[in-house]
Amino acid sequence: MLKKYITLLLIAFAGYGLNAQCPPGDVILSSQAEVDAFVADYPNCTEIAGNMLIGSLTDNTDIIDISGLSPLTAIEGSLSIDSNVSLTSLTGLDQLTSIGEDLSIIFNPGLTSLTGLDQLTAIGEEFYIYINGGLTSFTGLGQLASIGGNFTIEFNHGLTSFTGLGQLASISGSLNLVGNSSLESLSGLGQLTSISGNFKFRYNDALTSLVGLNQLAYIGGDLDFFRNQGLTSLVGLNQLAYIGGDLIFQS
């Protein structure tokens, strides 16, 4: 009986050790010191049970290196990478395969690509890319196959194409392209077959054609073009068979 009791205790402590690899709930890292402390305290943390914020929702941070987060494989909630003005690489998220809710990348002007997210296959809900002036492409997201909510790309003035999204096949929400002034091509979206919501293009003045959407067959909502000064035709939508809402074309 005593032997059995000791065995149960050992199993319980072993389980506690596994659960203690990561902190419970949300993780907020708003400075380089906090990133370094997290790595020191949880060197084997693989799965975040809540949300994770790398950065700040209100102020610029001094974060420059997140490479110590390399054991992470999953985040059950949302991942926000926000207001890191000196961050130039997402190296450290290389083993991350899934995000249960949203991925937001907002105001990280030093990022030129998304290299570091190379193993990410699925985003459970929304994917939001906003004001990352140095970002030129989506290189680094070569394994991303599905987005469970809206995919919104707004005011990324260095973005020239969608190169890097070669496996993206479906978007379960809307695809919104707004104010990406250097976006010249939709190259990189060649595997995209369906958008369940709306497809909106607004204020993408460098875009001259829709070539790159060669497999897009289904749009569940509106196809909406507004103030894209260089776009004069819908060439590139050759496979589009269904639009569930309205076709809106305003210059």
Side-chain angles (χ1 to χ4, degrees), residues 48 50-51 74-79 96-103 120 122-126 148:
I48 302 296
N51 303 310
I75 296 171
E76 293 185 15
S78 297
L79 172 60
L96 187 63
T97 60
S98 66
I99 297 171
E101 297 180 8
D102 302 338
L103 172 58
L120 186 64
I123 298 170
E125 297 182 12
E126 297 196 4

Side-chain angles (χ1 to χ4, degrees), residues 75-213:
I75 296 171
E76 293 185 15
S78 297
L79 172 60
S80 299
I81 303 170
D82 198 329
S83 300
N84 303 293
V85 294
S86 300
L87 186 67
T88 59
S89 172
L90 298 182
T91 297
L93 301 176
D94 311 73
Q95 301 302 313
L96 187 63
T97 60
S98 66
I99 297 171
E101 297 180 8
D102 302 338
L103 172 58
S104 301
I105 302 176
I106 300 171
F107 194 62
N108 303 278
L111 289 180
T112 57
S113 76
L114 299 180
T115 298
L117 292 173
D118 306 74
Q119 300 301 315
L120 186 64
T121 60
I123 298 170
E125 297 182 12
E126 297 196 4
F127 185 12
Y128 186 43
I129 305 281
Y130 180 65
I131 309 183
N132 301 281
L135 190 68
T136 59
S137 74
F138 287 88
T139 297
L141 284 177
Q143 300 300 314
L144 184 64
S146 65
I147 298 171
N150 297 333
F151 184 14
T152 300
I153 307 101
E154 292 186 313
F155 304 110
N156 300 280
H157 294 302
L159 187 67
T160 59
S161 77
F162 283 84
T163 298
L165 284 173
Q167 297 300 315
L168 183 62
S170 66
I171 298 170
S172 296
S174 296
L175 177 55
N176 305 304
L177 308 180
V178 180
N180 303 288
S181 59
S182 299
L183 184 64
E184 299 173 342
S185 167
L186 300 181
S187 175
L189 292 175
Q191 297 302 312
L192 184 64
T193 61
S194 68
I195 300 168
S196 297
N198 302 315
F199 193 177
K200 294 185 177 182
F201 297 81
R202 298 188 175 190
Y203 303 105
N204 304 287
D205 291 340
L207 191 65
T208 58
S209 83
L210 302 181
V211 172
L213 293 173

